[in-house]
Amino acid sequence: MHASLNELPARADIDGASAEVVLIVDDVPDNLSVLHDALDESGYTVLVATSGEAALQRAAQAQPDIVLLDAVMPGLDGFEVARRLKARPDTAHIPIVFMTGLTETEHVVAAFQAGGVDYVTKPIRPREVIARIAVHMQGARHARQARNALDAFGHATMAIHIGSGRAVWQTPLARKLLQQYFGADDPAPPQLLRWLQVQSALAAQGHAPRPMALVREARQLVISLQERTSDEDWLIVMREVSDTAVVEAMMQNFRLTLREAEVLYWVAKGKTNRDIGDILGSSPATVKKHLEHVYEKLGVETRTAAANLAMNKLRL
């Protein structure tokens, strides 16, 4: 039996099992049934979609290891589905194997131009499909392991095509950090693209690119330009730096509230009241009031004295 199309698990739920995930996309139920049973017996976790629209939704949600895609379907055909999957940074890495009865050269070429890595002809021969999948699955497995390893070390990574301003691919951690710090689902935020254009120009002139730092409360996102992976694709690494431990140390050493410790932390970093207000989401007047409490608890009268005392205490 097929899994319910309306109850498709997310990739996080699927990852609990070791089986690799295959998404089959075909509008003919009989084709789905034959492939589903053969792949299931071979140990794969099998997901299905009966339309192009459903395929895009399921691929984004479940992040399959490979997609078996029917070329000819009503509505969105397989070629357009493939183009859209390859245009999204969260699905661009997924290998696509086309299933088609169209063996004319132009159709085969169209399949590869749309982003396919291989094709099988109809009527489908399950053993052939499984053999093809095994070859491409190995490469997909290595790529997924590499992305997961980068995330595991806290180095979120993505590639951006500077000419089009399009994110070519990104690791799950990179996607999460972009949403947190840029506050949008845009995989290539305008602020990030402007920084990339400037830094790539510096790199082209032989100068060292400069990282971008974004502040969110007591955490910072440091974005660095690594290298050019192709003519116009640039590799970017993002690393989140947490100063939570420093803020907690200030709370304990000076008997400050959390917000007072955060204000003192940013004072020590040389930020103005307006800057601190922007960072903490409060007004400069509120920051000033917190700072007055900090002065009183530290027994000082100026920003410089408070900053120096905080830094000296923390060094000890």
Side-chain angles (χ1 to χ4, degrees):
M1 291 293 292
H2 301 309
S4 170
L5 295 182
N6 294 321
E7 298 176 357
L8 183 73
R11 181 75 210 199
D13 300 319
I14 295 172
D15 279 340
S18 59
E20 289 159 317
V21 182
V22 181
L23 172 61
I24 311 172
V25 186
D26 199 316
D27 63 312
V28 180
D30 288 345
N31 292 340
L32 290 173
S33 180
V34 170
L35 282 172
H36 181 283
D37 292 346
L39 289 166
D40 184 63
E41 289 176 4
S42 297
Y44 293 105
T45 295
V46 185
L47 308 174
V48 298
T50 56
S51 69
E53 292 83 357
L56 294 173
Q57 178 185 352
R58 285 152 176 69
Q61 183 179 2
Q63 293 288 300
D65 295 290
I66 198 165
V67 175
L68 289 178
L69 180 58
D70 186 18
V72 180
M73 295 183 293
L76 285 182
D77 65 18
F79 303 118
E80 181 59 24
V81 170
R83 282 189 286 269
R84 295 193 187 187
L85 288 175
K86 292 301 175 182
R88 290 176 54 114
D90 56 338
T91 55
H93 63 280
I94 302 172
I96 298 171
V97 175
F98 274 92
M99 302 182 293
T100 178
L102 307 172
T103 56
E104 289 84 355
T105 300
E106 60 267 27
H107 292 128
V108 174
V109 170
F112 286 110
Q113 288 178 337
V117 296
D118 205 347
Y119 74 97
V120 292
T121 57
K122 293 183 176 181
I124 294 298
R125 295 178 289 275
R127 290 181 61 185
E128 178 187 351
V129 173
I130 290 171
R132 298 286 184 94
I133 284 178
V135 172
H136 298 295
M137 192 72 81
Q138 183 176 8
R141 185 188 310 119
H142 291 161
R144 185 177 72 252
Q145 290 171 345
R147 289 191 300 273
N148 291 343
L150 288 168
D151 280 356
F153 285 100
H155 291 170
T157 311
M158 68 183 299
I160 294 182
H161 186 272
I162 195 169
S164 64
R166 181 175 62 85
V168 180
W169 60 266
Q170 58 189 196
T171 64
L173 181 57
R175 185 159 56 252
K176 177 182 176 182
L177 291 175
L178 286 173
Q179 291 172 346
Q180 288 178 348
Y181 282 85
F182 289 93
D185 291 329
D186 187 350
Q191 182 183 355
L192 181 62
L193 291 177
R194 289 193 294 270
W195 168 83
L196 174 58
Q197 290 167 350
V198 172
Q199 302 313 313
S200 60
L202 286 174
Q205 296 169 8
H207 301 297
R210 299 173 182 174
M212 173 195 289
L214 298 175
V215 174
R216 186 171 178 264
E217 296 181 350
R219 304 178 77 85
Q220 294 185 61
L221 182 66
V222 180
I223 305 175
S224 303
L225 190 64
Q226 292 298 303
E227 61 183 8
R228 188 163 56 187
T229 60
S230 67
D231 287 344
E232 292 194 79
D233 290 355
W234 285 87
L235 189 66
I236 294 172
V237 172
M238 290 171 276
R239 182 169 55 91
E240 192 173 37
V241 180
S242 173
D243 287 336
T244 302
V246 177
V247 172
E248 290 177 351
M250 288 181 173
M251 291 172 63
Q252 294 173 4
N253 279 281
F254 303 118
R255 300 180 183 276
L256 303 177
T257 66
L258 173 59
R259 188 44 57 98
E260 289 168 355
E262 289 174 337
V263 168
L264 179 57
Y265 169 84
W266 290 113
V267 166
K269 289 283 189 179
K271 300 295 185 181
T272 66
N273 286 2
R274 183 174 295 279
D275 292 336
I276 298 171
D278 291 340
I279 293 169
L280 300 180
S282 58
S283 68
T286 301
V287 172
K288 181 180 179 182
K289 185 169 292 186
H290 285 307
L291 198 50
E292 289 171 354
H293 294 159
V294 170
Y295 291 164
E296 183 178 348
K297 292 180 180 181
L298 269 61
V300 299
E301 297 181 356
T302 66
R303 299 174 73 90
T304 302
N308 289 339
L309 184 60
M311 296 304 295
N312 290 335
K313 188 75 171 179
L314 289 173
R315 287 193 190 98
L316 293 174

